[in-house]
Amino acid sequence: MEWYMFGPMISRIRVGQKASTPGFSRTLIRLPDGLYWTEAGHTGKIVEIRDYLFSDIWTIYEDEESEPWLGLREQMERLEQEMIINQYEDFTNNE
């Protein structure tokens, strides 16, 4: 099991994956349109980046809720990669 601080976790989590802090005190899922809380009391609410999240460690995993997103994940990752390449090329061409 790998542990990440909040920033690196954000860059590693894939669509359909969940991330939790130790003891599952905070759990979120990455969906196509953002990060959402999955724990009781906050389920379905979009994750707002607050200071307290930066002092947590997170692990990334998949469970049965991840399966429906597997097909879309590859498609989204290709699109994200194309967007990043296009932004970089636009930037370097305008220097």
Side-chain angles (χ1 to χ4, degrees):
M1 183 177 299
E2 291 186 52
W3 293 95
Y4 303 92
M5 293 180 61
F6 187 73
M9 181 273 291
I10 292 294
S11 69
R12 297 286 308 244
I13 192 169
R14 300 169 73 192
V15 171
Q17 289 183 322
K18 290 183 176 179
S20 293
T21 58
F24 300 94
S25 59
R26 301 187 216 284
T27 303
L28 56 82
I29 186 169
R30 180 175 174 198
L31 297 179
D33 59 341
L35 297 173
Y36 291 86
W37 293 114
T38 62
E39 81 255 1
H42 298 289
T43 301
K45 293 182 181 175
I46 197 157
V47 174
E48 295 181 17
I49 299 174
R50 304 284 184 170
D51 286 348
Y52 61 87
L53 296 176
F54 290 96
S55 62
D56 287 338
I57 58 172
W58 300 82
T59 189
I60 298 171
Y61 63 97
E62 294 182 7
D63 62 12
E64 65 279 351
E65 292 181 52
S66 303
E67 289 181 29
W69 302 106
L70 296 179
L72 183 60
R73 177 188 296 168
E74 291 179 18
Q75 178 184 349
M76 285 192 61
E77 288 175 353
R78 277 193 303 274
L79 181 60
E80 287 173 1
Q81 185 176 23
E82 288 174 19
M83 291 169 62
I84 291 168
I85 290 169
N86 289 340
Q87 289 177 47
Y88 178 77
E89 289 174 350
D90 287 348
F91 173 75
T92 57
N93 290 335
N94 290 324
E95 279 190 275

